Amino acid sequence: MHDASAHNQVAHHAPPTSFIRKHVFSLDHKVIGKQYYGLALVAVLVGMALSWLMRIHLGWTNFAIPGLHLLSKNGAPGNVMTPEFYLQLMTMHATIMVFFVLTTAPFAAFGNYFLPIQVGAEDMPFPHFNMMSFWVTFVAFLVLVSSFFVGQGPTLGGWTQYAPLSALGEVTGPGQGSGVVLWAISIAMFCVGQLLGSLNFITTTLDMRTRGMSLWRLPLSSWSWFITSCMGLTAFAVLMPACILLILDHVAGTSFFAPGGSVINDQVQPHSGGSTLLWQHLFWFFGHPEVYIAIVPGMGIVSHVLVTNMRKPMLSHRVLVYSFGALAVLSYMVYGHHMFVSGMNPVSSLAFSFPTLIITIPSTVIVLIWLGSLYGAKLRINAASLFSLGFISMFIAGGVSGFFLAQPSTDIMLHATYFVVGHFHMVMGVAAMFGIFAGTYFWFPKMFGRMMNETLGRIHFWFSFVGAYAIFMPFHYLGMAGNVRRYQAFTPDYMQPLVPLHQFITIAALVTGVAQLVFLYNLFHSRFWGKPASDNPWQATSLEWSTPTTPPPHNNFGDKLPEVYHDPYQYGVESSLGDYVMQASPEQVKTVHDEA
Amino acid sequence: MATTVHEPPKIDAGRDSTRLPGNGNSRNLVPADGKLPAVRDYSPPPASTGIWVVLASIGMSFLAFTSALVVRKAALDWQHLTLPPILYLNTLVLIASSFALEVARRRIGAFMRRRESQVASPTRWLYMALFLGLLFVAGQYGAWLQLRSQGLYLSTNPNSSFFYVLTAIHALHVLGGLTGLARVVYRLNKSILRKSTLDATAYYWHFMDGLWLYLLVLLWMKL
Amino acid sequence: MAKFFAITILVIAILSAIPILRHTWWMAEDISTHGAPIDEQMSETMAEAGISFLASQFILAFFIWKFSNPRPGEKIKNFPGGAKAMVWAAVLLVGTEVLALGVFGAKAWANVYFTPPSSSAMPVQVQSGQFAFYFRYPGPDGKFAPIHPELISESTQNFYGLDTNNDPDAKDDIVTAEMAIPVNREIHLLMHSKDVGHSFFVPELRVQQDFVPGLDLSLHFTATKVGRYEIVCTQLCGLGHYNMKAYLSVLSQQDFDDWMKKEAAMQ
């Protein structure tokens, strides 16, 4: 039955016709990708709004924010935030951003949409699982947000949910009962969603590649999604059991994380023997890979966008891929650096310190390959490439501060200060966001058949780039001065002189945040009234630009799947199209370059 | 100025193109006349790759539970718990179930590779596997009842907590496997069963078996 | 646009470095005997991080300046060293750099954590709870009485759950809300939490250590400068976390003895 003639016949599965099947419970990876993007967009707006509230409070502690009391019954009497409400907002900001934005947008959204197209497949192999993956994630988001309206509001324990603050129930603070349970249910569901997603991503990459698409011919973005899904598979599989045990400590009275002999309000708590460090170990075993789950897809997207706009291939495709892989492997061996002062054996601290420092090497290789590839490029400046270059700048800035946190001795001074907050906001917050923006400006024409407004894109970039530095660089200074994080106000005397710097940050955050509305406007306006896009507006090479229509048809490639003849980034060549040849084109080309 | 002429464009031969029906998708199955002999495996490999992905992630979860148990065991309130004897019987039942499924799988496999012209009663063996699987879950429920009657509940002590959690989560996975088995039977009866589906289900089922043996040894040694 | 972008990167990089170079916001002065290697490590790390940061941003800016807006017909060029040069640069330069940091940092760390407190160190106990620290001195008998969690009571101010009626060891224990220590004397700090996780952070002393419920941990340090410093909690412990602090008074031996007498009289 396997004769060659049947080879490229696409089995026709008719596109769905009903509205529900088309737009709601769709099995089409492209629709699911867009749904993920929409979810991330809603989540990022919520998360950003929460950060504004926090920033205003940190700058001007007694400032009454009009209407704030509507958000919480007890959290804001007279519209002034209470300490517990500040912590609740902070926890929700972090949880929403880390899980529902930084994981869903670059990985689940773009990955879903473009991985199958970039490998030349009709869809993912398990479309029902894929649909479930989104809807479970969506419900997880609803569960998380619902905690604002249940009991005493959401949990205040921070996104890390350290036990026993998280395990003893409402006695430890408002939201530590039902809030924590809802948080843990939401995260456990999120894990299920991402595990299903990872299953699809891995099998798509391994099994669904079209003729000629060998692994080394995969674009860097596909590689990064593949590597990320391998990380997700193991990381989320560890967080889910931890969440289950945490839920049981609440609802079934077990003592997995709740130690014995805790005295709260003069009452000895009815638990015994639970291990608080156990939670930290399980959480960070997930937590550190999670950082790379957020950033590696960004690296892949940025490489993909840059290479197109540099009009030359990367210095080495393989070295980049190996470095992504090295990051993924090392990310499991370094999680203990979050626990240097947690009472873990000091020898373990050193043991975790060295792999953490070694992770600098693949990161440096990645940056140097990017920089080295820029040399001699014919760089095009547009919103997508600006954000990609901004990503590199941010990644460097956020990366070097990792030197301090990788060493237990310097970590003594910086642990739990704003230095840490600045570090991770730059390297996994802003950098990952820039990756999302770069991907959006780059792929929007393919996803919606219309171009985004370039001028608005550049305005958005300038405010975001300068704004991000203005917000997050000072965080490092605050940390050096010993400003502890997760404080709603600064009562210790030595921190009070730092308040003006906080006020500066708040203003920068508000301005930068408003600039994001430009992006939002651009997104919606271009969706409906943007200039119609051609099939390949960036003169790019990979398969997503070879689809017969834009946006791609239901089965991506129409009647015939493409065959792949070239490595992914054949730029700087002489071909009938100009300086590039598409992966799916059988044309023979030659490279012309100046001698260095 | 230098010019490099590239290798002529080629389809990378690294991939076995005969193994792949090109579109690489699972929708190219052609059920013939609803009869078993029409079943052929034209399916691409995602199911057979996917199952290893699934097993890896389940294995990882149980490793996490194991490490939790090992860490938690260091506390002073750790006691000894005698496993309910019915567990050993359940173990035999689960192994027998695996065996039955393997018989069915091999028979169908031999038929599909055309080693045999007829497939001998695979459905009967599948039902047997299904039934034994259900029996196992019922047996696990029996074990919980036995513990309850000793006054050992989920929150009584850390040992009982871990016992209930580990056995319950394993049982949930077994129930998932039973759903898969039921699906296999259904598809077989409708003549739309793919070999890769059958294989994936069987691997999952055997994995549940191995996982249970692992848990049994773990619980026996540590509790 | 590209040139403007390059200049922006340069300006931001330089502006970012200025407060660091000028120590506009910097660590508090070190008053501990073990802090010098930590500070030295901090400076060395800052030098390496700073150079890496500035160098890479400058290169990025330079390449953006130079290689954007190419003339029509211009061909791409390859980086002379190729990817190999980059990998070697990363492995040799950065690798040895960070490993050196790691080795020296390990020494600074070992200096603090791998040395046991001397036998003459003065024991002080600290108990953290939502949202206060309480300190305990053993009194003349040199013995800490056992703690009974069920006796802990805020209302009767029995913060440590001491059985003062039946336990002779408990009678002379001194519990305070402020920590006082004599200058130039090694302190062995015994830490435990009564409820959730907290942390003990005194920036001037160069110590930070979490309280882990269910685990007894300890720190040892010597303060070299008389003064009054803040102890803050750095581990999120609930709604009052921001306000959880205590004062550390480093006193001369004479003043310390007087303080101790005064506190003993107040028990």
Side-chain angles (χ1 to χ4, degrees):
Chain A
M1 284 284 174
H2 287 167
D3 56 319
S5 66
H7 213 87
N8 287 318
Q9 293 276 308
V10 172
H12 289 284
H13 60 295
T17 47
S18 77
F19 179 82
I20 299 244
R21 269 311 203 193
K22 229 169 154 173
H23 299 292
V24 186
F25 296 107
S26 173
L27 298 174
D28 184 346
H29 69 98
K30 297 187 288 301
V31 178
I32 295 169
K34 285 194 267 187
Q35 287 173 326
Y36 263 120
Y37 194 89
L39 174 65
L41 205 59
V42 172
V44 80
L45 288 174
V46 175
M48 194 174 74
L50 297 181
S51 74
W52 278 354
L53 297 177
M54 294 191 312
R55 279 313 322 172
I56 293 172
H57 183 77
L58 286 175
W60 294 271
T61 307
N62 293 317
F63 187 82
I65 302 165
L68 189 61
H69 68 278
L70 298 174
L71 197 56
S72 162
K73 281 198 299 285
N74 314 317
N79 289 331
V80 176
M81 205 181 282
T82 59
E84 57 271 31
F85 192 47
Y86 173 83
L87 291 175
Q88 291 173 331
L89 293 180
M90 176 204 80
T91 306
M92 295 306 267
H93 164 77
T95 310
I96 288 174
M97 287 300 198
V98 170
F99 290 97
F100 294 95
V101 179
L102 298 179
T103 309
T104 54
F107 174 59
F110 285 132
N112 249 308
Y113 199 108
F114 287 106
L115 178 65
I117 307 186
Q118 286 190 342
V119 306
E122 192 190 352
D123 201 331
M124 297 241 181
F126 309 111
H128 286 91
F129 281 161
N130 206 14
M131 178 182 76
M132 261 165 70
S133 155
F134 171 73
W135 284 105
V136 170
T137 310
F138 179 73
V139 175
F141 181 67
L142 291 187
V143 170
L144 187 70
V145 173
S146 75
S147 67
F148 267 109
F149 311 101
V150 175
Q152 298 207 51
T155 161
L156 53 70
W159 84 285
T160 54
Q161 286 299 357
Y162 271 18
L165 184 65
S166 62
L168 291 172
E170 207 76 48
V171 286
T172 59
Q176 292 307 90
S178 57
V180 172
V181 174
L182 287 174
W183 182 92
I185 292 174
S186 165
I187 298 309
M189 290 177 72
F190 185 85
C191 293
V192 173
Q194 296 317 303
L195 286 173
L196 291 172
S198 298
L199 166 65
N200 261 317
F201 277 45
I202 293 174
T203 44
T204 303
T205 316
L206 292 179
D207 291 329
M208 306 289 281
R209 284 169 287 130
T210 187
R211 272 193 88 198
M213 180 57 89
S214 65
L215 279 174
W216 285 119
R217 284 181 171 179
L218 286 175
L220 288 164
S221 43
S222 285
W223 264 111
S224 71
W225 291 316
F226 174 60
I227 289 169
T228 305
S229 53
C230 294
M231 273 191 279
L233 190 76
T234 27
F236 290 113
V238 169
L239 183 62
M240 194 169 58
C243 285
I244 291 172
L245 297 183
L246 181 62
I247 294 170
L248 288 176
D249 269 6
H250 275 268
V251 301
T254 53
S255 300
F256 292 108
F257 304 120
S262 293
V263 183
I264 297 174
N265 300 332
D266 299 348
Q267 298 292 314
V268 182
Q269 297 301 308
H271 286 281
S272 81
S275 170
T276 59
L277 282 184
L278 172 60
W279 171 265
Q280 295 188 24
H281 280 291
L282 290 176
F283 183 84
W284 286 120
F285 187 85
F286 147 80
H288 201 78
E290 166 62 25
V291 176
Y292 290 86
I293 289 172
I295 195 70
V296 169
M299 293 176 168
I301 293 169
V302 160
S303 307
H304 190 68
V305 173
L306 262 187
V307 94
T308 307
N309 285 303
M310 294 189 307
R311 311 311 294 169
K312 75 187 273 254
M314 281 289 172
L315 218 45
S316 167
H317 188 71
R318 294 196 181 203
V319 170
L320 265 182
V321 171
Y322 284 132
S323 303
F324 292 165
L327 285 183
V329 172
L330 283 169
S331 74
Y332 285 94
M333 295 146 73
V334 302
Y335 75 90
H337 67 235
H338 296 269
M339 298 165 61
F340 284 152
V341 300
S342 71
M344 189 173 64
N345 185 331
V347 182
S348 314
S349 296
L350 284 187
F352 277 118
S353 164
F354 280 94
T356 309
L357 286 164
I358 286 172
I359 222 166
T360 317
I361 295 175
S363 311
T364 311
V365 171
I366 293 170
V367 171
L368 287 182
I369 294 274
W370 283 333
L371 291 179
S373 307
L374 265 178
Y375 177 93
K378 292 162 70 181
L379 185 62
R380 289 178 183 169
I381 296 293
N382 49 41
S385 73
L386 281 172
F387 270 109
S388 306
L389 296 164
F391 176 101
I392 299 178
S393 175
M394 283 291 161
F395 185 71
I396 294 167
V400 291
S401 55
F403 288 5
F404 298 86
L405 303 172
Q407 307 169 50
S409 57
T410 43
D411 190 55
I412 292 175
M413 289 306 290
L414 300 172
H415 183 84
T417 67
Y418 269 81
F419 193 91
V420 180
V421 184
H423 166 70
F424 70 70
H425 270 95
M426 277 202 146
V427 79
M428 89 179 252
V430 178
M433 285 307 293
F434 276 27
I436 298 168
F437 288 139
T440 307
Y441 286 107
F442 186 72
W443 278 318
F444 187 90
K446 183 51 69 177
M447 292 169 78
F448 297 103
R450 291 176 184 278
M451 305 297 288
M452 287 184 84
N453 183 312
E454 180 64 24
T455 314
L456 290 180
R458 291 186 185 198
I459 293 172
H460 173 219
F461 171 74
W462 286 109
F463 276 97
S464 301
F465 185 71
V466 179
Y469 269 108
I471 299 167
F472 295 113
M473 257 305 160
F475 273 47
H476 296 87
Y477 312 147
L478 289 170
M480 290 301 296
N483 193 334
V484 181
R485 68 194 277 215
R486 293 169 167 172
Y487 275 18
Q488 63 107 16
F490 304 109
T491 61
D493 304 340
Y494 74 91
M495 291 184 207
Q496 275 161 16
L498 302 172
V499 170
L501 195 51
H502 275 287
Q503 291 169 341
F504 169 79
I505 294 171
T506 300
I507 293 167
L510 291 174
V511 172
T512 313
V514 170
Q516 304 311 307
L517 300 180
V518 176
F519 171 70
L520 205 63
Y521 170 79
N522 195 353
L523 206 58
F524 281 100
H525 189 267
S526 308
R527 166 75 183 82
F528 297 105
W529 299 283
K531 210 169 63 185
S534 62
D535 280 342
N536 189 3
W538 313 117
Q539 294 87 44
T541 57
S542 48
L543 289 184
E544 74 261 36
W545 308 105
S546 303
T547 58
T549 59
T550 299
H554 177 67
N555 60 4
N556 291 347
F557 294 102
D559 294 336
K560 194 171 180 301
L561 283 171
E563 295 186 354
V564 173
Y565 296 90
H566 296 283
D567 284 345
Y569 302 118
Q570 296 289 347
Y571 295 103
V573 298
E574 276 180 0
S575 80
S576 59
L577 290 170
D579 68 343
Y580 69 105
V581 63
M582 305 203 47
Q583 279 193 284
S585 152
E587 186 183 347
Q588 182 164 356
V589 293
K590 51 188 182 165
T591 305
V592 182
H593 52 82
D594 287 344
E595 281 301 338
Chain B
M1 203 69 114
T3 306
T4 317
V5 177
H6 285 227
E7 292 278 297
K10 62 169 194 284
I11 296 280
D12 198 303
R15 311 207 63 207
D16 174 9
S17 56
T18 55
R19 205 168 125 252
L20 269 180
N23 84 13
N25 206 313
S26 45
R27 298 196 192 88
N28 56 345
L29 183 86
V30 191
D33 50 0
K35 293 281 186 327
L36 188 62
V39 177
R40 288 285 186 275
D41 184 27
Y42 307 133
S43 64
S48 22
T49 309
I51 189 61
W52 297 111
V53 178
V54 170
L55 297 186
S57 115
I58 294 176
M60 198 68 201
S61 285
F62 276 89
L63 275 182
F65 278 121
T66 307
S67 66
L69 189 150
V70 172
V71 171
R72 184 65 180 78
K73 190 176 188 288
L76 296 171
D77 61 343
W78 196 261
Q79 292 153 11
H80 181 68
L81 180 138
T82 314
L83 296 183
I86 192 174
L87 289 185
Y88 304 107
L89 194 65
N90 293 348
T91 310
L92 292 180
V93 169
L94 193 59
I95 292 175
S97 169
S98 245
F99 177 75
L101 180 58
E102 189 58 24
V103 171
R105 188 176 83 92
R106 296 208 167 183
R107 289 189 175 190
I108 295 172
F111 167 72
M112 281 180 165
R113 287 191 301 272
R114 298 172 194 253
R115 294 240 178 81
E116 282 162 37
S117 57
Q118 257 198 326
V119 59
S121 58
T123 354
R124 195 180 302 163
W125 287 100
L126 284 176
Y127 277 123
M128 177 105 77
L130 200 61
F131 169 73
L132 289 170
L134 274 175
L135 195 64
F136 170 80
V137 177
Q140 294 294 79
Y141 186 68
W144 298 334
L145 289 182
Q146 281 189 2
L147 275 191
R148 262 175 69 129
S149 65
Q150 296 170 37
L152 289 168
Y153 296 91
L154 177 57
S155 61
T156 308
N157 58 42
N159 310 56
S160 66
S161 301
F162 271 108
F163 182 84
Y164 280 108
V165 169
L166 287 172
T167 49
I169 293 196
H170 177 260
L172 274 178
H173 282 93
V174 170
L175 283 177
L178 285 173
T179 326
L181 270 182
R183 190 162 161 270
V184 163
V185 173
Y186 169 81
R187 294 182 81 89
L188 181 66
N189 287 337
K190 292 196 78 175
S191 251
I192 51 169
L193 176 68
R194 253 183 251 115
K195 182 70 164 44
S196 60
T197 311
L198 177 64
D199 285 345
T201 314
Y203 295 154
Y204 182 90
W205 199 243
H206 300 329
F207 183 76
M208 281 302 123
D209 219 356
L211 183 61
W212 172 247
L213 287 175
Y214 164 75
L215 287 179
L216 191 69
V217 172
L218 181 77
L219 295 174
W220 178 71
M221 275 173 37
K222 300 282 181 185
L223 289 190
Chain C
M1 186 59 104
K3 295 195 170 161
F4 184 53
F5 184 31
I7 293 167
T8 311
I9 293 179
L10 278 182
V11 171
I12 286 179
I14 292 167
L15 281 183
S16 301
I18 286 175
I20 302 260
L21 290 172
R22 298 186 50 186
H23 286 208
T24 316
W25 293 279
W26 201 250
M27 297 186 290
E29 191 199 347
D30 172 31
I31 60 155
S32 72
T33 50
H34 68 266
I38 295 179
D39 285 16
E40 198 178 314
Q41 188 68 17
M42 189 72 92
S43 307
E44 275 164 24
T45 312
M46 189 58 88
E48 292 197 10
I51 291 168
S52 313
F53 171 74
L54 290 173
S56 349
Q57 301 283 13
F58 282 15
I59 294 171
L60 179 66
F62 176 65
F63 283 0
I64 291 173
W65 176 290
K66 187 140 180 359
F67 297 112
S68 54
N69 308 318
R71 291 186 313 277
E74 197 171 334
K75 303 287 180 235
I76 55 166
K77 284 193 281 288
N78 279 334
F79 183 73
K84 226 179 232 170
M86 294 309 186
V87 175
W88 280 114
V91 171
L92 289 180
L93 269 164
V94 183
T96 47
E97 195 181 322
V98 294
L99 281 183
L101 274 185
V103 171
F104 291 116
K107 274 191 183 159
W109 176 252
N111 191 20
V112 188
Y113 277 92
F114 294 164
T115 50
S118 70
S119 54
S120 62
M122 183 178 115
V124 181
Q125 209 172 34
V126 53
Q127 170 181 285
S128 60
Q130 289 178 323
F131 301 96
F133 298 98
Y134 288 104
F135 304 91
R136 180 158 74 141
Y137 297 84
D141 67 353
K143 263 194 261 177
F144 289 114
I147 294 168
H148 305 277
E150 66 280 2
L151 293 180
I152 291 180
S153 163
E154 303 269 333
S155 52
T156 62
Q157 304 233 315
N158 189 355
F159 300 113
Y160 265 81
L162 299 179
D163 187 2
T164 35
N165 294 330
N166 305 317
D167 187 349
D169 287 346
K171 289 204 167 79
D172 65 342
D173 283 8
I174 298 163
V175 175
T176 64
E178 187 176 322
M179 184 178 183
I181 56 170
V183 71
N184 292 329
R185 168 99 191 263
E186 189 175 14
I187 306 297
H188 189 203
L189 188 70
L190 306 159
M191 308 168 58
H192 71 272
S193 163
K194 87 174 172 69
D195 43 38
V196 300
H198 300 277
S199 196
F200 183 93
F201 181 38
V202 185
E204 291 85 352
L205 260 184
R206 304 292 187 262
V207 292
Q208 176 167 197
Q209 175 65 54
D210 281 3
F211 292 88
V212 182
L215 213 59
D216 291 333
L217 297 164
S218 74
L219 273 181
H220 59 100
F221 52 79
T222 309
T224 55
K225 200 171 164 205
V226 171
R228 193 170 149 88
Y229 310 96
E230 275 166 298
I231 305 165
V232 294
C233 175
T234 55
Q235 181 63 265
L236 179 57
C237 57
L239 59 95
H241 172 52
Y242 75 102
N243 207 13
M244 182 164 167
K245 64 169 177 176
Y247 283 99
L248 166 71
S249 295
V250 180
L251 305 171
S252 67
Q253 188 66 45
Q254 182 59 46
D255 288 348
F256 176 73
D257 293 340
D258 291 348
W259 179 83
M260 195 58 117
K261 263 187 220 128
K262 204 177 78 205
E263 289 291 331
M266 279 164 57
Q267 293 293 313

